[in-house]
Amino acid sequence: MKFRLFLFLTVLCQLSVSAQILKYTNGNNAWNPDSLGNHRVMVQFNGTGKVAHVKIDWRRRDEHAESKKIIIQDAAGKNVSVLGVDNFSRESADVYFEAPTKGKYFVYYMPYKNEGKSNYPKGVYLKADDKKVSKSNQVAVNTTVSEIQSIDAFNSFYPMEVIAMAKETAAIKSKYPSDSFIVFPEDRMFPIKMQNDLPYRWIQKGVSNSFSGSASKGENYAFQLAVYALKDLKDVRVSFGDLKSSTGKTISAKYINCLNTNGISYDNKPLTETVNVAAGKVQPMWITVDIPKATSPGIYNGRFTVKSNGKSKVIDVKLTVGNQVLADAGVGTPNKQTRLTWLNSTMAQANTIVAPYTPLKVDGNVISLLGRKFEINTDGFPKQIQTFFNADMTGYSEKPNNILYEPIHFHFYNTPKTQEKFVSSNFQITNKEVGTVKWITTNTSENLKMEIEGALESDGYVHYVVKVTALKDVDFSNVDFHIPFEKGSTKYLMGLGEKGGVRPDTVKWKWDVAHKNQDAVWIGNVNAGLYYNLRDENYVRPLNTNFYLQKPLLLPKSWGNDDKGGIQINVKGSSMLADNFTGARTMKEEDVLYYNFNLLITPFHLLNTDFQWDNRFYHKYGELDSIKAKGATLVNIHHATPINPWINYPFIESTKMKSYINEAHSKGLKVKIYNTVRELSNHAYEWPALRSLGTEVYSPGKGGGFSWLQEHLDSNYIAAWFVPEIKDAAIINSGMNRWHNYYVEGMNWLVNNVGIDGVYLDDVAFDRVTMKRIKRVLTQNNHPGIIDLHSANQYNKSDGFNNSAILYLEHFPYLNRLWFGEYFDYEKNNPDFFLTEVSGIPFGLMGEMLQDDGNSWRGMIYGMTSRLGWSEKSDPKPLWKAWDNFGIKGSEMIGYWSDNCPVKTDNPKVLATVYKQKNKTMIALASWDESDTKVNLTIDYNKLGLSADKVKISAPGIDKFQTAGNYPEGKSIPVEKGKGLILILE
């Protein structure tokens, strides 16, 4: 046994001598990586003759290294001829090249070129020449390797991506011939980045069954237990107890967690994951230890047992806790992985009331909420839904707007003429909180049991779980879910393949999840509407925007019924019926189907027009005095800016950001930042830990994209947005996962430590659970918490032909402004499209325009302008000035859509919206007429509180908008095609 150990150590020593690690240095951007690659080897030729031969032990992590071209340059940057390469592998290669003079040469070994779009590049590696070395050039090694350089420190492979050679790995494995796995403890400052290779660092350190680290009191400490699988492993787990000191002090096991197997989901549910590891793979198991602030200084010892396949390895852990107390748990230094604990955060999960919403009130089966009432039938389904918003959306009405003609209900048809007859029992309201009311009931028929769970939240969101169990084998010719709308509350429709606008006479729609991100529709008026979607218990939020096809909707087994299901919406009798059908199906005894659905009762709240006039966004990083001088009041800081460079990771330059925000606040300006979760920068400190979670946080995909991603992530990811100027490369988030917990904590940290006034969302990859949580942390302690949402038009093949407003309607209750921008056609669409799909008005929101800087005349009848700073031509300043000259703040907006609008034109294609003040009125006119035209105004002066015989009607001069003019009695007012006019009555 002693001889074997001696032999092993001797072999290991010989291996170390024969394959010394090279020096890795920072190239400080000394060359152009987009033509030469991110990595080079510096070599020194001191031989005789003109042929250099160098043996490079480069220990490369990239597979098929031999397929990539080698480019060699001299010290002056001039290319020299590569004469050939022998023994080319990931581990090493013998490179022969022409060396005109003695001196320094550079071997570029991963050159690539960027193809594709600038913001979605495809790094294509140049192919090897496969040149054979001629016998005359096969000289002995006469060149030495000085160092390996990466273009910068961020691209370096050292030390965790420098691979162990096959012989070194074999020597390690030979020591454990009967084991299933080996464990390598590793410090948090060396995140494990390779799955397919051991890092040479572990060869140097050797295998150890102990780990020691140092931490402060109150610190979120982390370390890794790397499992190297010698055989296929199933259900790898780490168990542990308390950490104990020699004096009897403890750090309880309740403060310790293995991120890879246990946690809290984004929606506050216990999460247990199964970790399987294929033979030959490395799996980091990240351990977090949240050390209480009251912990006594000292050395704490514990045993961590890694188990799989009936085998176990015990690692002795020694954690030295110092005297220093970290008030922030160390999260101010995220490079120490102190924020990994955030992945299991439960912050802001309690469904507390968020302004402007009010506590729910229950009176029998009727629940009252802000501007609305919801009545529950004895079968658990909605009996009536009402809103009390006036047509102008500026106040409340005592007379309700009924949304339903009759209660929502199901039909389970055994034959086209016969159906299940249900008896309802045990209806009860089970939960009464200020933010949520819940109820249950059971409906039973001869063949079915239908168990209902319903919940209504204070913003008007209703969630139904409808569990249907077969009591016998039963056949159905069809299952229909009917929503009978009051016809007078169904002027508009949006969704199911229909653009927003006036409701068509008939909508016929079938499921097509492979191609269409469609499972929802909104039907209603400006002041009363209902959105609904159809889902089952297996619903998973798909990827949004142009990634939908890579992770589409799952067809609901109940509603979809193998694509036989669909929806038909049309007038039927005295109601407008939304008939949601499944087609014929069979259920066997004890089969279960879930016919779940969600509702959103719109509008969510009144229009806050003063917010629109007061908060004037400047959408660009810039000098603050200049921004203020332009009249803006709020600065949106995009990513790829000096204080927020990395996409959706606004923490690295937080000191600069805080300084900028402090200065802005001193000048009376607010600052919001770009931060969402659809994709995440490769500069995130936590990316190796997140990758260790498999596909929980990062979506699986075909890989590719920018060179850094290919060189450090290998494969199984989706390349996302890329910023060429700073080479920031992001990859796609998988959807609903624990990164959202981190996101909420991150927002909280930014509010409290950096002082952000809100967030700018560029599309949204999370659901309303996370939206409510970030609204709570953004608005804590009277912070403004302003959220505005930008979306490109999603009605295209890549995005799944969805309406942006439908896709994000569940988030609208917590937004302050919309910016529905790219690919929205403000010229060729009709006013009803503007109203429903762009403006946000039917939902209590207001917006701005983006594409081609919008149409400022049409925008004005919805209170919209373009956004300052976004482009050179986007300039709402003249309109802002006109607003101020009129005194628009405090005015009452009465839109053309309201029957109460006191100003109308005699041309149905020229619309008028009124902004009413005490002694004067602004009228915004916008034309959809195909030609220049003239209109006459019909004005109800009594409603305006003005005297007809004293009023003057004039058009103020507004730069880039209109010339000044006077229009006595509002007659024959010229309106240009596609434009409009602002008039002042006073």
Side-chain angles (χ1 to χ4, degrees):
M1 186 67 186
K2 289 182 180 179
F3 174 75
R4 286 183 181 179
L5 180 59
F6 171 77
L7 182 63
F8 173 77
L9 293 173
T10 302
V11 170
L12 199 59
C13 181
Q14 290 173 342
L15 287 172
S16 298
V17 170
S18 64
Q20 290 294 330
I21 189 72
L22 295 173
K23 182 181 179 183
Y24 284 76
T25 61
N26 181 348
N28 294 311
N29 295 291
W31 67 92
N32 179 11
D34 291 336
S35 60
L36 295 172
N38 299 312
H39 309 278
R40 70 182 186 183
V41 183
M42 185 189 300
V43 301
Q44 184 73 28
F45 170 61
N46 291 316
T48 58
K50 302 296 183 182
V51 177
H53 173 196
V54 60
K55 184 177 188 300
I56 306 173
D57 294 321
W58 41 32
R59 298 174 176 268
R60 293 166 59 170
R61 70 167 292 175
D62 56 313
E63 301 288 345
H64 308 297
E66 71 283 355
S67 68
K68 296 183 178 73
K69 184 181 181 69
I70 286 177
I71 297 173
I72 302 180
Q73 293 184 345
D74 62 18
K78 181 181 178 182
N79 284 14
V80 300
S81 296
V82 180
L83 302 176
V85 184
D86 275 344
N87 308 313
F88 202 149
S89 72
R90 299 169 66 220
E91 296 182 356
S92 62
D94 287 279
V95 182
Y96 299 81
F97 61 94
E98 191 177 76
T101 60
K102 293 182 180 181
K104 190 184 298 181
Y105 291 85
F106 297 97
V107 180
Y108 297 92
Y109 59 93
M110 298 179 76
Y112 66 87
K113 60 179 179 179
N114 280 323
E115 296 181 354
K117 299 178 181 179
S118 62
N119 292 114
Y120 286 94
K122 299 176 182 177
V124 178
Y125 289 89
L126 306 185
K127 292 185 178 180
D129 295 327
D130 294 328
K131 186 183 292 185
K132 302 296 183 184
V133 185
S134 65
K135 288 187 177 180
S136 61
N137 289 328
Q138 290 180 356
V139 300
V141 173
N142 58 10
T143 304
T144 57
V145 176
S146 302
E147 57 195 70
I148 291 184
Q149 291 186 328
S150 54
I151 186 66
D152 56 21
F154 185 67
N155 276 272
S156 178
F157 292 128
Y158 183 80
M160 297 308 292
E161 297 169 272
V162 178
I163 69 168
M165 293 186 175
K167 292 185 293 184
E168 296 165 344
T169 301
I172 290 281
K173 292 167 65 175
S174 68
K175 190 178 179 182
Y176 304 93
S178 61
D179 288 11
S180 297
F181 59 91
I182 305 170
V183 177
F184 293 91
E186 184 56 272
D187 188 80
R188 60 183 174 176
M189 300 306 293
F190 297 94
I192 297 161
K193 300 175 180 178
M194 296 190 297
Q195 183 185 43
N196 300 320
D197 294 276
L198 300 183
Y200 179 61
R201 169 179 163 85
W202 293 351
I203 304 300
Q204 294 174 302
K205 287 175 58 182
V207 179
S208 173
N209 62 358
S210 64
F211 173 81
S212 61
S214 298
S216 298
K217 296 193 291 183
E219 184 172 9
N220 294 343
Y221 185 78
F223 66 95
Q224 305 157 91
L225 297 177
V227 177
Y228 177 48
L230 304 177
K231 301 175 183 177
D232 288 345
L233 302 179
K234 300 293 184 184
D235 194 18
V236 178
R237 300 212 160 265
V238 181
S239 61
F240 43 81
D242 297 344
L243 301 180
K244 298 179 180 179
S245 72
S246 59
T247 60
K249 304 293 185 181
T250 64
I251 298 175
S252 171
K254 70 181 181 181
Y255 299 117
I256 306 173
N257 182 58
C258 177
L259 285 177
N260 301 82
T261 56
N262 295 93
I264 303 295
S265 69
Y266 79 95
D267 55 354
N268 206 21
K269 296 175 182 175
L271 183 72
T272 302
E273 297 285 355
T274 300
V275 176
N276 299 323
V277 189
K281 302 291 185 181
V282 176
Q283 171 61 53
M285 306 295 280
W286 277 91
I287 309 298
T288 59
V289 185
D290 298 338
I291 302 165
K293 291 180 182 178
T295 302
S296 299
I299 297 174
Y300 291 80
N301 293 285
R303 308 190 86 195
F304 287 70
T305 304
V306 182
K307 301 177 182 178
S308 180
N309 293 13
K311 302 280 188 176
S312 63
K313 296 277 185 179
V314 176
I315 305 299
D316 292 317
V317 172
K318 181 174 73 174
L319 187 58
T320 301
V321 178
N323 283 306
Q324 183 184 10
V325 179
L326 297 184
D328 70 345
V331 299
T333 53
N335 61 310
K336 292 183 177 181
Q337 306 299 330
T338 48
R339 298 183 178 186
L340 287 178
T341 296
W342 286 1
L343 290 172
N344 292 324
S345 172
T346 61
M347 176 175 284
Q349 285 285 8
N351 201 31
T352 54
I353 300 295
V354 176
Y357 303 106
T358 53
L360 295 169
K361 295 181 180 178
V362 180
D363 183 6
N365 285 14
V366 177
I367 307 170
S368 297
L369 60 158
L370 181 70
R372 291 153 290 177
K373 282 187 178 179
F374 184 85
E375 184 177 2
I376 312 168
N377 216 346
T378 54
D379 61 5
F381 296 116
K383 183 177 183 180
Q384 183 55 271
I385 303 172
Q386 298 174 321
T387 73
F388 294 84
F389 300 98
N390 66 24
D392 309 339
M393 281 296 294
T394 56
Y396 298 107
S397 169
E398 290 185 5
K399 182 182 178 182
N401 308 300
N402 290 337
I403 293 176
L404 299 181
Y405 176 75
E406 61 183 19
I408 293 175
H409 56 274
F410 275 90
H411 295 284
F412 285 80
Y413 287 102
N414 307 104
T415 71
K417 293 185 178 181
T418 63
Q419 61 178 298
E420 298 287 323
K421 294 182 180 180
F422 288 95
V423 175
S424 301
S425 61
N426 301 321
F427 173 85
Q428 57 180 310
I429 293 179
T430 58
N431 182 283
K432 294 181 185 179
E433 296 178 1
V434 293
T436 308
V437 173
K438 297 180 180 180
W439 60 94
I440 59 171
T441 193
T442 302
N443 303 313
T444 308
S445 68
E446 180 182 354
N447 296 300
L448 299 175
K449 180 170 76 170
M450 180 191 292
E451 297 169 272
I452 311 293
E453 295 180 16
L456 170 66
E457 298 187 18
S458 59
D459 57 10
Y461 170 75
V462 189
H463 174 59
Y464 270 97
V465 176
V466 182
K467 179 182 179 183
V468 176
T469 305
L471 304 177
K472 305 175 184 177
D473 292 355
V474 61
D475 295 325
F476 299 110
S477 62
N478 197 12
V479 177
D480 287 286
F481 174 58
H482 282 175
I483 304 180
F485 285 84
E486 184 72 45
K487 278 194 292 189
S489 295
T490 63
K491 181 175 181 179
Y492 304 107
L493 181 144
M494 175 171 53
L496 303 182
E498 300 288 337
K499 290 185 178 181
V502 172
R503 175 180 53 81
D505 289 338
T506 301
V507 174
K508 293 185 177 181
W509 175 87
K510 296 294 292 290
W511 290 91
D512 181 10
V513 296
H515 307 99
K516 295 177 180 178
N517 187 8
Q518 297 173 3
D519 66 352
V521 65
W522 172 81
I523 303 167
N525 294 349
V526 170
N527 61 340
L530 192 67
Y531 157 103
Y532 73 91
N533 61 40
L534 306 176
R535 298 174 179 175
D536 68 5
E537 78 280 18
N538 297 314
Y539 173 80
V540 176
R541 187 178 180 86
L543 296 182
N544 65 334
T545 67
N546 51 324
F547 302 101
Y548 171 74
L549 298 177
Q550 299 186 56
K551 184 185 175 183
L553 285 163
L554 302 174
L555 182 69
K557 185 179 178 181
S558 53
W559 300 110
N561 193 21
D562 297 324
D563 289 324
K564 293 195 285 288
I567 299 174
Q568 179 163 318
I569 299 172
N570 59 277
V571 173
K572 186 174 182 181
S574 299
S575 73
M576 199 292 299
L577 181 66
D579 177 19
N580 309 276
F581 59 88
T582 70
R585 76 176 321 135
T586 297
M587 292 183 73
K588 298 294 184 183
E589 185 178 353
E590 296 185 356
D591 278 357
V592 174
L593 290 171
Y594 283 86
Y595 291 89
N596 299 348
F597 63 93
N598 299 316
L599 308 174
L600 288 165
I601 309 167
T602 67
F604 300 111
H605 48 68
L606 296 173
L607 294 178
N608 187 352
T609 52
D610 278 354
F611 178 90
Q612 187 79 350
W613 320 137
D614 277 344
N615 289 273
R616 300 176 184 182
F617 289 11
Y618 186 82
H619 200 90
K620 189 177 182 180
Y621 173 76
E623 198 274 323
L624 290 165
D625 284 329
S626 174
I627 292 171
K628 185 173 183 178
K630 290 179 170 69
T633 62
L634 192 156
V635 189
N636 264 6
I637 302 298
H638 223 274
H639 69 96
T641 54
I643 63 172
N644 189 23
W646 316 117
I647 191 165
N648 298 327
Y649 198 76
F651 306 114
I652 294 178
E653 299 295 345
S654 59
T655 301
K656 291 180 182 177
M657 185 185 293
K658 179 178 176 60
S659 176
Y660 185 87
I661 291 174
N662 287 345
E663 183 184 354
H665 288 170
S666 73
K667 299 177 186 300
L669 299 173
K670 297 185 181 75
V671 179
K672 295 167 48 265
I673 66 165
Y674 184 113
N675 188 25
T676 182
V677 298
R678 183 184 69 173
E679 56 220 321
L680 179 61
S681 170
N682 58 334
H683 286 75
Y685 292 120
E686 296 86 358
W687 76 257
L690 300 181
R691 286 280 282 180
S692 83
L693 302 177
T695 57
E696 181 193 346
V697 172
Y698 291 128
S699 184
K702 60 183 180 181
F706 183 58
S707 59
W708 189 97
L709 301 177
Q710 299 187 55
E711 291 167 14
H712 296 272
L713 303 185
D714 297 326
S715 61
N716 202 29
Y717 59 88
I718 299 175
W721 190 257
F722 174 73
V723 181
E725 295 81 5
I726 58 174
K727 298 192 183 302
D728 181 32
I731 61 175
I732 288 295
N733 190 295
S734 67
M736 308 311 300
N737 58 70
R738 283 184 288 171
W739 184 247
H740 299 181
N741 293 333
Y742 184 108
Y743 179 62
V744 173
E745 285 274 4
M747 288 290 203
N748 180 68
W749 188 86
L750 289 163
V751 168
N752 291 313
N753 293 276
V754 182
I756 64 170
D757 296 299
V759 62
Y760 162 64
L761 299 177
D762 183 2
D763 283 300
V764 177
F766 50 80
D767 70 358
R768 56 180 276 109
V769 171
T770 303
M771 179 60 81
K772 288 188 296 180
R773 295 174 70 191
I774 66 166
K775 189 67 172 183
R776 290 187 187 108
V777 300
L778 288 172
T779 55
Q780 62 182 294
N781 301 322
N782 296 316
H783 283 272
I786 300 168
I787 303 177
D788 70 301
L789 169 65
H790 161 69
S791 179
N793 196 325
Q794 315 251 334
Y795 200 82
N796 58 69
K797 180 180 178 180
S798 296
D799 296 3
F801 297 102
N802 204 346
N803 320 73
S804 293
I806 284 290
L807 182 63
Y808 299 129
L809 203 66
E810 66 175 352
H811 304 91
F812 279 23
Y814 302 97
L815 302 179
N816 298 90
R817 186 170 296 178
L818 298 178
W819 196 30
F820 281 5
E822 287 108 330
Y823 321 122
F824 277 88
D825 189 341
Y826 305 117
E827 301 297 330
K828 296 179 182 178
N829 279 308
N830 59 40
D832 303 313
F833 174 82
F834 259 88
L835 179 65
T836 56
E837 196 152 343
V838 179
S839 77
I841 286 171
F843 314 106
L845 289 172
M846 298 181 75
E848 290 171 308
M849 300 172 290
L850 184 150
Q851 184 69 45
D852 301 321
D853 302 311
N855 181 311
S856 53
W857 299 274
R858 292 176 176 176
M860 263 305 299
I861 68 171
Y862 307 97
M864 298 193 298
T865 65
S866 61
R867 185 169 286 189
L868 185 63
W870 174 248
S871 74
E872 292 298 325
K873 295 181 179 179
S874 177
D875 186 9
K877 295 196 300 295
L879 277 174
W880 289 351
K881 184 178 179 181
W883 290 357
D884 292 338
N885 289 340
F886 165 70
I888 199 168
K889 183 175 180 180
S891 67
E892 180 184 356
M893 179 180 178
I894 310 173
Y896 72 85
W897 54 86
S898 171
D899 292 337
N900 296 324
C901 188
V903 179
K904 300 190 183 299
T905 79
D906 58 355
N907 183 341
K909 294 185 178 180
V910 180
L911 303 176
T913 288
V914 163
Y915 299 91
K916 176 187 170 186
Q917 272 287 20
K918 288 183 179 180
N919 299 311
K920 55 184 176 179
T921 292
M922 176 191 285
I923 302 171
L925 300 177
S927 176
W928 275 265
D929 202 311
E930 294 81 9
S931 308
D932 293 348
T933 187
K934 292 184 178 181
V935 299
N936 298 307
L937 302 183
T938 301
I939 303 173
D940 187 332
Y941 286 99
N942 288 331
K943 283 187 178 180
L944 294 177
L946 301 173
S947 299
D949 56 345
K950 296 181 180 179
V951 166
K952 293 181 179 179
I953 304 176
S954 62
I958 302 174
D959 186 33
K960 302 175 186 176
F961 189 89
Q962 68 187 29
T963 56
N966 292 294
Y967 303 98
E969 300 180 356
K971 305 299 182 185
S972 296
I973 300 172
V975 182
E976 291 184 57
K977 170 187 175 182
K979 294 186 178 181
L981 208 62
I982 286 179
L983 303 173
I984 304 297
L985 279 63
E986 59 182 340

